[in-house]
PDB file of all heavy atoms in Angstrom:
ATOM      1  N   SER H 190     -19.962  40.597  36.141  1.00  0.00           N
ATOM      2  CA  SER H 190     -21.105  41.491  36.219  1.00  0.00           C
ATOM      3  C   SER H 190     -21.908  41.238  37.490  1.00  0.00           C
ATOM      4  O   SER H 190     -22.375  42.168  38.154  1.00  0.00           O
ATOM      5  CB  SER H 190     -21.993  41.319  34.989  1.00  0.00           C
ATOM      6  OG  SER H 190     -23.142  42.129  35.070  1.00  0.00           O
ATOM      7  N   LEU H 191     -22.053  39.969  37.842  1.00  0.00           N
ATOM      8  CA  LEU H 191     -22.738  39.621  39.096  1.00  0.00           C
ATOM      9  C   LEU H 191     -22.023  40.245  40.281  1.00  0.00           C
ATOM     10  O   LEU H 191     -22.649  40.778  41.203  1.00  0.00           O
ATOM     11  CB  LEU H 191     -22.787  38.095  39.265  1.00  0.00           C
ATOM     12  CG  LEU H 191     -23.674  37.313  38.306  1.00  0.00           C
ATOM     13  CD1 LEU H 191     -23.534  35.825  38.578  1.00  0.00           C
ATOM     14  CD2 LEU H 191     -25.122  37.733  38.434  1.00  0.00           C
ATOM     15  N   LYS H 192     -20.699  40.188  40.287  1.00  0.00           N
ATOM     16  CA  LYS H 192     -19.926  40.770  41.387  1.00  0.00           C
ATOM     17  C   LYS H 192     -20.129  42.268  41.465  1.00  0.00           C
ATOM     18  O   LYS H 192     -20.343  42.840  42.544  1.00  0.00           O
ATOM     19  CB  LYS H 192     -18.426  40.447  41.198  1.00  0.00           C
ATOM     20  CG  LYS H 192     -17.534  41.040  42.281  1.00  0.00           C
ATOM     21  CD  LYS H 192     -17.816  40.381  43.624  1.00  0.00           C
ATOM     22  CE  LYS H 192     -16.875  40.920  44.710  1.00  0.00           C
ATOM     23  NZ  LYS H 192     -17.161  42.298  45.103  1.00  0.00           N
ATOM     24  N   LYS H 193     -20.102  42.933  40.335  1.00  0.00           N
ATOM     25  CA  LYS H 193     -20.262  44.383  40.296  1.00  0.00           C
ATOM     26  C   LYS H 193     -21.655  44.789  40.756  1.00  0.00           C
ATOM     27  O   LYS H 193     -21.837  45.831  41.395  1.00  0.00           O
ATOM     28  CB  LYS H 193     -19.999  44.892  38.877  1.00  0.00           C
ATOM     29  CG  LYS H 193     -20.085  46.406  38.733  1.00  0.00           C
ATOM     30  CD  LYS H 193     -18.997  47.097  39.516  1.00  0.00           C
ATOM     31  CE  LYS H 193     -19.077  48.615  39.333  1.00  0.00           C
ATOM     32  NZ  LYS H 193     -18.028  49.291  40.127  1.00  0.00           N
ATOM     33  N   ARG H 194     -22.648  43.976  40.477  1.00  0.00           N
ATOM     34  CA  ARG H 194     -24.033  44.318  40.803  1.00  0.00           C
ATOM     35  C   ARG H 194     -24.412  43.915  42.229  1.00  0.00           C
ATOM     36  O   ARG H 194     -25.559  44.085  42.624  1.00  0.00           O
ATOM     37  CB  ARG H 194     -24.966  43.643  39.809  1.00  0.00           C
ATOM     38  CG  ARG H 194     -24.792  44.169  38.391  1.00  0.00           C
ATOM     39  CD  ARG H 194     -25.694  43.446  37.419  1.00  0.00           C
ATOM     40  NE  ARG H 194     -25.449  43.933  36.057  1.00  0.00           N
ATOM     41  CZ  ARG H 194     -26.395  43.999  35.137  1.00  0.00           C
ATOM     42  NH1 ARG H 194     -27.634  43.653  35.421  1.00  0.00           N
ATOM     43  NH2 ARG H 194     -26.109  44.431  33.940  1.00  0.00           N
ATOM     44  N   GLY H 195     -23.470  43.370  43.000  1.00  0.00           N
ATOM     45  CA  GLY H 195     -23.746  43.103  44.396  1.00  0.00           C
ATOM     46  C   GLY H 195     -23.664  41.668  44.835  1.00  0.00           C
ATOM     47  O   GLY H 195     -23.893  41.363  46.004  1.00  0.00           O
ATOM     48  N   ALA H 196     -23.369  40.762  43.948  1.00  0.00           N
ATOM     49  CA  ALA H 196     -23.213  39.365  44.351  1.00  0.00           C
ATOM     50  C   ALA H 196     -21.983  39.209  45.233  1.00  0.00           C
ATOM     51  O   ALA H 196     -20.993  39.925  45.069  1.00  0.00           O
ATOM     52  CB  ALA H 196     -23.086  38.464  43.115  1.00  0.00           C
ATOM     53  N   THR H 197     -22.049  38.289  46.177  1.00  0.00           N
ATOM     54  CA  THR H 197     -20.883  38.041  47.024  1.00  0.00           C
ATOM     55  C   THR H 197     -19.770  37.435  46.186  1.00  0.00           C
ATOM     56  O   THR H 197     -20.003  36.859  45.120  1.00  0.00           O
ATOM     57  CB  THR H 197     -21.233  37.087  48.169  1.00  0.00           C
ATOM     58  OG1 THR H 197     -21.592  35.813  47.614  1.00  0.00           O
ATOM     59  CG2 THR H 197     -22.380  37.614  49.004  1.00  0.00           C
ATOM     60  N   LYS H 198     -18.549  37.547  46.696  1.00  0.00           N
ATOM     61  CA  LYS H 198     -17.415  36.992  45.957  1.00  0.00           C
ATOM     62  C   LYS H 198     -17.544  35.477  45.842  1.00  0.00           C
ATOM     63  O   LYS H 198     -17.203  34.884  44.820  1.00  0.00           O
ATOM     64  CB  LYS H 198     -16.112  37.346  46.673  1.00  0.00           C
ATOM     65  CG  LYS H 198     -15.077  38.009  45.791  1.00  0.00           C
ATOM     66  CD  LYS H 198     -13.833  38.356  46.556  1.00  0.00           C
ATOM     67  CE  LYS H 198     -12.838  39.075  45.649  1.00  0.00           C
ATOM     68  NZ  LYS H 198     -11.582  39.378  46.357  1.00  0.00           N
ATOM     69  N   GLY H 199     -18.042  34.844  46.915  1.00  0.00           N
ATOM     70  CA  GLY H 199     -18.225  33.403  46.874  1.00  0.00           C
ATOM     71  C   GLY H 199     -19.264  32.991  45.854  1.00  0.00           C
ATOM     72  O   GLY H 199     -19.091  32.002  45.135  1.00  0.00           O
ATOM     73  N   ALA H 200     -20.370  33.756  45.761  1.00  0.00           N
ATOM     74  CA  ALA H 200     -21.408  33.453  44.771  1.00  0.00           C
ATOM     75  C   ALA H 200     -20.866  33.637  43.360  1.00  0.00           C
ATOM     76  O   ALA H 200     -21.161  32.845  42.460  1.00  0.00           O
ATOM     77  CB  ALA H 200     -22.617  34.350  44.986  1.00  0.00           C
ATOM     78  N   THR H 201     -20.059  34.666  43.173  1.00  0.00           N
ATOM     79  CA  THR H 201     -19.435  34.896  41.871  1.00  0.00           C
ATOM     80  C   THR H 201     -18.566  33.710  41.468  1.00  0.00           C
ATOM     81  O   THR H 201     -18.609  33.241  40.334  1.00  0.00           O
ATOM     82  CB  THR H 201     -18.585  36.180  41.904  1.00  0.00           C
ATOM     83  OG1 THR H 201     -19.400  37.274  42.317  1.00  0.00           O
ATOM     84  CG2 THR H 201     -17.994  36.470  40.539  1.00  0.00           C
ATOM     85  N   LEU H 202     -17.781  33.235  42.416  1.00  0.00           N
ATOM     86  CA  LEU H 202     -16.891  32.109  42.148  1.00  0.00           C
ATOM     87  C   LEU H 202     -17.693  30.830  41.880  1.00  0.00           C
ATOM     88  O   LEU H 202     -17.372  30.058  40.975  1.00  0.00           O
ATOM     89  CB  LEU H 202     -15.948  31.903  43.334  1.00  0.00           C
ATOM     90  CG  LEU H 202     -14.622  31.181  43.056  1.00  0.00           C
ATOM     91  CD1 LEU H 202     -13.821  31.926  42.009  1.00  0.00           C
ATOM     92  CD2 LEU H 202     -13.821  31.037  44.340  1.00  0.00           C
ATOM     93  N   SER H 203     -18.751  30.619  42.647  1.00  0.00           N
ATOM     94  CA  SER H 203     -19.598  29.438  42.450  1.00  0.00           C
ATOM     95  C   SER H 203     -20.235  29.452  41.064  1.00  0.00           C
ATOM     96  O   SER H 203     -20.285  28.433  40.367  1.00  0.00           O
ATOM     97  CB  SER H 203     -20.695  29.388  43.518  1.00  0.00           C
ATOM     98  OG  SER H 203     -20.144  29.228  44.800  1.00  0.00           O
ATOM     99  N   PHE H 204     -20.734  30.609  40.677  1.00  0.00           N
ATOM    100  CA  PHE H 204     -21.338  30.755  39.355  1.00  0.00           C
ATOM    101  C   PHE H 204     -20.304  30.519  38.260  1.00  0.00           C
ATOM    102  O   PHE H 204     -20.579  29.863  37.249  1.00  0.00           O
ATOM    103  CB  PHE H 204     -21.940  32.149  39.233  1.00  0.00           C
ATOM    104  CG  PHE H 204     -22.657  32.405  37.946  1.00  0.00           C
ATOM    105  CD1 PHE H 204     -23.972  32.002  37.781  1.00  0.00           C
ATOM    106  CD2 PHE H 204     -22.033  33.050  36.899  1.00  0.00           C
ATOM    107  CE1 PHE H 204     -24.651  32.239  36.589  1.00  0.00           C
ATOM    108  CE2 PHE H 204     -22.688  33.291  35.703  1.00  0.00           C
ATOM    109  CZ  PHE H 204     -24.000  32.885  35.553  1.00  0.00           C
ATOM    110  N   LEU H 205     -19.108  31.028  38.463  1.00  0.00           N
ATOM    111  CA  LEU H 205     -18.020  30.894  37.492  1.00  0.00           C
ATOM    112  C   LEU H 205     -17.618  29.438  37.301  1.00  0.00           C
ATOM    113  O   LEU H 205     -17.169  29.040  36.226  1.00  0.00           O
ATOM    114  CB  LEU H 205     -16.819  31.716  37.950  1.00  0.00           C
ATOM    115  CG  LEU H 205     -15.648  31.898  36.992  1.00  0.00           C
ATOM    116  CD1 LEU H 205     -16.080  32.629  35.737  1.00  0.00           C
ATOM    117  CD2 LEU H 205     -14.524  32.653  37.677  1.00  0.00           C
TER     118      LEU H 205
END
Side-chain angles (χ1 to χ4, degrees):
S190 177
L191 291 177
K192 179 67 177 71
K193 182 65 179 179
R194 295 178 183 213
T197 64
K198 233 179 183 183
T201 304
L202 203 59
S203 296
F204 183 83
L205 189 62

